[in-house]
Amino acid sequence: MDGTRKPWGGRFARPTDRVVEAYTASIDVDRRLAREDILGSIAHARMLGRQGIIPAEDAARIVTGLERLLDEVERGEFPLDPALEDIHMNVEARLAALIGPEVAGRLHTARSRNDQVALDARLWTLRAIDEMVDAIDRLQAVLLDLAERHAEDILPGYTHLQRAQPVTLGHHLMAYVEMLERDVGRFTDCARRTASSPLGSGALAGAPYPLDREGVARELGLAGVTENSLDAVSDRDFVVEFQAAAAICMMHLSRLAEEIVLWSTTEFGFITLDDAFATGSSLMPQKKNPDVAELARGRTGRIYGNLIAILTTLKALPLSYNRDLQEDKPGLFDTFDTLMSTLDIMARMLPTVHFHTERMRAAAGAGYALATDVADYLVQKGLPFREAHHIVGALVAYAAKQGRGLHELTLAEYQRFSPLFEDDVHAISAESAVCARDVPGGTAPHRVREAVARARARLQERVGTTPTGSARDPV
Ligand code: ARG
């Protein structure tokens, strides 16, 4: 490429080496900022015109030209020139082709690519958060429907992956709704700090023009402007926060994925995956594999990697802008794509899962999952809990030695361990155990239904709003 095509061509006698051009170019990645770059430029150009920094007619022509570009981008018809280093150069070049280089050349007045790219990345991240929260909400809605349907179905609850106490399937599913709700909170919190305009920070020190920074921010739907120009051009905390929120959210999905993998084994046999969401083996004809869940679990590593990558890029960077910062975007886009597709496929897969509720119920009643309830029975008869615990422990050891469940013991056998046992000890069941846990946050079916209703209301309130509370589309 001819070095004189570059806006800084005046300083250079020779064009950049091709290898350097290829190494430093970012257009393959930052092309995804096209929309934000144009929106930011429109707001900037309007402000330059309003403030009399450039002639009003020129500002108007720039804005009209940029609006055409926006249209091209939205229709997928924006012609990208891969020979131009990045999206900012591409937009500027396309604008020059449309309205002439003289007028187009005024757009970059009082602006550097350093504050420009910081703005673009913030606008993109805000839109990403908006879409992410919507995707989380859709998955929550799916989980809520399932939780309501299975509010009374019982399965063993586990600690240490050992059967512990019976819980309702609805309660189990609602645990994931709570995790996802905290994820929404983290993304929303990140959005609050992202919604600041760095434009006007210039290359690093500000700009020697009477800018209306607040007006630009308002027009872009941002809450305010950044305070310090050096910080503003080199700050990528919002990317770190986005990556961190995404890593936690993906970790939650990975836990859900792991349970889907476990539950679909012959050993558990709690669920069967729909044919459309499982894959076979090229060798073993009997196999039906939970590949979607496995890949969701596996891709969590990629997202953790992206978080560590941006933290490492920022570590020890001196103020202010450094080209290292260009490395913020590949991971940002990759994390967004990975998490979005995982949220989406989970929301599609879960409604197709067949839950073997009878097998779950049988597993919850078998073994010694009701031992705590037998201890609580003795507590109700007046024993201190520690003593009751000891007695039932001995009872379990006695039954286990004979390979029998607690419900298979006779009253006489019970009474050998404590005279407080009466006939009604046989009324203890998985059903009575879950119904007894009737506290806020407990597994009793009516508590689960209440939790579902509260979560639904929460979700309803959020629909149609953005994390920053602005209108859905910034401009
Ligand atoms: N591609 C660059 C980035 O993403 C844009 C800013 C370039 N600024 C510069 N001074 N070279 O960071």
Side-chain angles (χ1 to χ4, degrees):
M1 177 188 138
D2 177 3
T4 56
R5 279 181 65 194
K6 291 187 171 158
W8 57 81
R11 165 75 175 77
F12 290 83
R14 287 195 298 135
T16 320
D17 192 298
R18 271 178 200 289
V19 181
V20 174
E21 249 175 31
Y23 192 75
T24 57
S26 57
I27 186 62
D28 284 344
V29 174
D30 61 26
R31 52 191 301 165
R32 290 181 68 168
L33 296 179
R35 184 176 177 273
E36 285 68 31
D37 196 71
I38 296 169
L39 290 174
S41 289
I42 290 174
H44 182 64
R46 283 207 184 112
M47 182 276 291
L48 292 177
R50 256 194 335 265
Q51 299 293 99
I53 298 168
I54 65 172
E57 321 81 73
D58 287 356
R61 282 178 62 193
I62 291 172
V63 169
T64 309
L66 287 170
E67 280 168 353
R68 249 185 79 183
L69 297 197
L70 193 58
D71 210 49
E72 288 181 346
V73 168
E74 244 124 59
R75 283 200 312 249
E77 288 166 7
F78 183 80
L80 280 176
D81 181 353
L84 294 174
E85 177 185 317
D86 59 24
I87 188 62
H88 323 295
M89 293 295 145
N90 262 277
V91 168
E92 219 177 300
R94 178 76 186 138
L95 182 67
L98 277 183
I99 67 169
E102 210 159 306
V103 177
R106 295 194 191 280
L107 169 61
H108 211 52
T109 312
R111 190 176 69 171
S112 154
R113 277 187 300 162
N114 297 352
D115 55 354
Q116 184 179 357
V117 74
L119 172 71
D120 294 0
R122 282 172 183 266
L123 292 176
W124 189 91
T125 302
L126 285 170
R127 193 149 67 103
I129 289 174
D130 214 6
E131 286 182 32
M132 197 71 84
V133 169
D134 281 350
I136 295 174
D137 284 351
R138 284 194 292 274
L139 180 55
Q140 280 196 336
V142 165
L143 285 164
L144 286 170
D145 285 347
L146 283 175
E148 188 163 51
R149 188 172 326 145
H150 296 290
E152 281 181 30
D153 291 323
I154 294 175
L155 78 161
Y158 294 82
T159 61
H160 312 267
L161 202 56
Q162 308 285 325
R163 285 180 193 167
Q165 290 173 356
V167 293
T168 49
L169 178 53
H171 195 54
H172 192 111
L173 294 167
M174 284 301 287
Y176 287 98
V177 170
E178 287 310 305
M179 294 178 222
L180 291 171
E181 188 62 17
R182 292 194 296 276
D183 292 326
V184 168
R186 270 180 284 271
F187 277 117
T188 305
D189 193 47
C190 167
R192 264 198 293 277
R193 274 180 297 276
T194 307
S196 254
S197 173
L199 220 56
S201 301
L204 75 163
Y209 296 91
L211 304 179
D212 174 17
R213 294 190 61 205
E214 292 283 352
V216 171
R218 251 195 318 277
E219 184 169 336
L220 291 169
L222 301 175
V225 301
T226 54
E227 279 289 336
N228 181 293
S229 62
L230 291 167
D231 175 44
V233 295
S234 67
D235 168 30
R236 295 294 182 275
D237 289 4
F238 61 96
V239 179
V240 179
E241 290 188 31
F242 180 88
Q243 293 283 12
I248 296 173
C249 183
M250 192 67 175
M251 174 269 286
H252 292 149
L253 297 184
S254 181
R255 295 180 72 166
L256 177 59
E258 170 65 12
E259 296 208 304
I260 290 170
V261 172
L262 272 179
W263 287 6
S264 64
T265 58
T266 313
E267 285 72 9
F268 269 83
F270 286 180
I271 59 173
T272 300
L273 295 175
D274 190 86
D275 282 356
F277 283 88
T279 49
S281 159
S282 55
L283 178 79
M284 298 162 280
Q286 85 283 10
K287 290 297 286 292
K288 189 165 172 186
N289 297 327
D291 292 38
V292 167
E294 291 171 274
L295 283 169
R297 196 175 58 182
R299 286 181 186 153
T300 307
R302 284 240 305 272
I303 294 190
Y304 289 5
N306 291 335
L307 169 61
I308 297 302
I310 184 64
L311 282 170
T312 311
T313 297
L314 295 175
K315 173 184 177 295
L317 266 196
L319 287 176
S320 59
Y321 180 85
N322 297 273
R323 192 63 181 269
D324 314 44
L325 292 172
Q326 181 170 297
E327 289 303 299
D328 62 349
K329 284 175 281 299
L332 179 63
F333 297 154
D334 181 58
T335 288
F336 175 75
D337 294 342
T338 306
L339 182 51
M340 279 297 280
S341 57
T342 306
L343 287 164
D344 179 60
I345 203 161
M346 283 292 191
R348 289 170 195 270
M349 179 168 69
L350 285 175
T352 71
V353 169
H354 183 73
F355 290 90
H356 300 294
T357 50
E358 272 155 42
R359 185 169 161 108
M360 288 180 173
R361 169 65 187 83
Y368 307 101
L370 295 174
T372 315
D373 290 84
V374 176
D376 286 327
Y377 170 94
L378 291 177
V379 168
Q380 269 169 33
K381 306 260 170 178
L383 272 194
F385 181 76
R386 275 288 158 242
E387 205 176 315
H389 183 287
H390 187 79
I391 289 169
V392 179
L395 198 65
V396 167
Y398 167 83
K401 211 163 160 188
Q402 306 175 32
R404 295 158 72 199
L406 284 183
H407 58 284
E408 289 165 314
L409 302 182
T410 63
L411 180 58
E413 285 175 302
Y414 268 108
Q415 283 172 340
R416 251 185 264 161
F417 291 83
S418 167
L420 294 174
F421 282 120
E422 291 173 75
D423 218 15
D424 58 352
V425 71
H426 282 122
I428 295 173
S429 66
E431 284 73 17
S432 73
V434 296
C435 288
R437 281 157 179 87
D438 185 11
V439 291
T443 193
H446 91 95
R447 294 289 183 176
V448 173
R449 286 200 189 88
E450 281 173 15
V452 168
R454 274 196 304 275
R456 277 229 170 87
R458 201 163 65 184
L459 203 55
Q460 205 56 45
E461 215 173 301
R462 198 153 59 223
V463 170
T465 67
T466 61
T468 44
S470 60
R472 197 150 267 287
D473 223 340
V475 181

